[in-house]
Structure formats: C-alpha cells, structure tokens
Amino acid sequence: MATSSILSSTPSLPPSGRPALQAVPEAPALQIDGQAAESVIAEKRIGERIKHLRLKKSMGLVELGKHTGLSASFLSQLETGRVVPTLRNLARIAMVFSKDLNYFFEPEPLTLFRIHRGKDRVRLPQSGVQDPAYYFESLGYLVPDRQLDPYFAEFLPAQPGHEPRAHQHFGCEFLYVLSGALTIRHGATSHQAEQGDAVYFDASTTHSYECSGATPATALIVTLQQPVPLPSAGPRPSQSAGPAARTPASLPAAAAPPRSAKTAIVPKAG
C-alpha cells in the first residue's frame, strides 16, 4: 500500500521523539610557528621603545629596575632583544612611564625624512630678469609644508654696467660661500664674502648678491619664513619706559637700497 511505503522511508526517531545529535568532527589544531612569533615581536621593536622611554627620562637601568622590580641585567637583555617580556613585566615598565600597553604594539609614527638626489634637481635662472646673474637649485622641494627653504646657487661673473637686482622677503636668510667671492648688498651697505664665510641677515631688508671674481661663485642659501627679532641697541630700557622707548627709532628694514639698484619683492631666494 502507498501508506506503508511512505512510513518505511521515514527515518526512525529515538524514544524521546527528538532527532539524535550528530557529532561534529574536530577542527585540526592551529600550529603557530615559534620563529614567526619571534619575528612579529621583533618587528614591534619593544626593546628599542623601552630604551627610548628610559633615555628620554635620563634614567639608568638600575633605577628602572628599582621602579619595576626587575633586574638591571634582565632589562638590558630586554632592550637588546635577547629576551621577550611577559605582559606582566611589560605592564610594570609601561606604568613607570605613564604609558598604556598599546604603546609598545601600535605602529610607530612616521618621521620626516627626504633625500634629494643631485641628479633629480632642477636648475632655475634668477627670476624677473632677461640676463640672469645667478642660477639656483631648490634642495627642499620634496618636503611639504617645510619651515625653511635651502638652495644651491651659482653666481656668474658680473658683466660691465650690470647692476644686481635687489629683492626682499619675509623672515631671515643664511648664506654660506662654497667657492669664489660675493658682494652682498644689504640695505645701503655692501659686504664682501669669500669661500668659507657665512652670513646671516634680516631678509625683509632689500638685499642682492653679485659675483665679485673672474670665476663663478657658489653658495648654500637657506631662507627661514619666521619673524626676525630685532637686536637691541645700547642698554636695556628701564621697566618704567613706555612702549615708545622700547621701540627703535629706525628699523633696519627702513634703510633704502642704492638708487642704482632695481628693487623687487619676491617670496623666496629665487
């Protein structure tokens, strides 16, 4: 009969009326390579981070041992990576320096480091003139939001009847003569600088450079875009003096350049 065929194909139930539980095969145990674990710990550079914290506090190994209850020899091995700390020991060290355990495992912050290859630099002429008196190369163009601008400059021998083009910009400037000789005009004064001489001046005062020799001169120039504090002339004014007494009567920036020099305001050394 149809009924008996249906019943015969139905699986039998246990006396409780519930289906029997099937055993799930166990997953194979996960094997961790000890060498791989050591490599992960080494990448975190825990020992170097501990040493950095200790030296930043000017603390010796013995002193750190007194605070943590760990021996100086153990701490030395820990800093050099010869032993691996337990979480308990690492927590003791972290508490001494008011750090969380995450400090030793978080990725290290990236520090600013750039290399400017000499073959990749671009040589640019003096701007704003038909016949440039010098050429310069930026040494910091790869650094975003840089605080200073370094340049390498080559000054060509002066041409008869040629007047240097003066310029000015915010901040201060440093110049180091690598070879040759330069005449540097700063305001109404002229100064001679030769190989090995270094010059530091207020760049908000009009200034210009001119090669004063028969061969080209080279120099390293660094401009810093920050306000320049004015040096005080004479004795320091008394506390009772008012604001007018503390302000110099005439500022270096007010000095006029020579009439023969053409003046332009440019943002940087170029």
Side-chain angles (χ1 to χ4, degrees), residues 25-190:
E26 295 183 359
L30 181 62
Q31 297 294 329
I32 301 297
D33 184 9
Q35 186 175 358
E38 293 289 339
S39 177
V40 171
I41 295 175
E43 289 176 359
K44 298 301 180 182
R45 300 168 59 185
I46 295 176
E48 293 183 23
R49 297 191 185 197
I50 294 174
K51 185 176 182 179
H52 172 75
L53 291 174
R54 180 175 63 81
L55 295 179
K56 191 175 181 180
K57 292 288 186 180
S58 300
M59 185 182 297
L61 289 170
V62 175
E63 183 180 358
L64 179 58
K66 291 179 180 179
H67 289 296
T68 59
L70 304 173
S71 67
S73 61
F74 174 79
L75 291 172
S76 176
Q77 295 179 50
L78 182 59
E79 289 185 353
T80 55
R82 286 178 287 176
V83 297
V84 178
T86 63
L87 284 179
R88 183 182 297 274
N89 290 340
L90 201 56
R92 292 180 180 180
I93 297 172
M95 291 175 65
V96 171
F97 300 108
S98 301
K99 296 291 184 181
D100 190 86
L101 274 175
N102 292 334
Y103 169 82
F104 298 103
F105 300 99
E106 291 176 345
E108 292 184 272
L110 296 177
T111 57
L112 176 60
F113 185 87
R114 296 289 188 276
I115 295 181
H116 298 76
R117 303 295 181 187
K119 61 182 179 62
D120 297 330
R121 293 202 302 265
V122 178
R123 178 180 168 92
L124 298 173
Q126 178 187 11
S127 59
V129 295
Q130 294 288 341
D131 188 14
Y134 61 86
Y135 291 82
F136 66 94
E137 301 173 12
S138 173
L139 304 179
Y141 62 93
L142 290 179
V143 181
D145 301 325
R146 53 188 176 272
Q147 300 300 312
L148 53 84
D149 285 288
Y151 300 92
F152 171 79
E154 180 183 16
F155 301 87
L156 305 180
Q159 300 295 326
H162 177 269
E163 288 293 338
R165 183 173 183 266
H167 61 279
Q168 60 188 132
H169 53 85
F170 185 73
C172 55
E173 187 165 322
F174 172 82
L175 182 146
Y176 179 78
V177 182
L178 298 172
S179 64
L182 286 174
T183 298
I184 303 174
R185 295 183 182 179
H186 188 253
T189 61
S190 294

Side-chain angles (χ1 to χ4, degrees), residues 245-260:
R246 295 196 296 268
T247 304
S250 59
L251 303 178
R259 292 184 178 180
S260 59

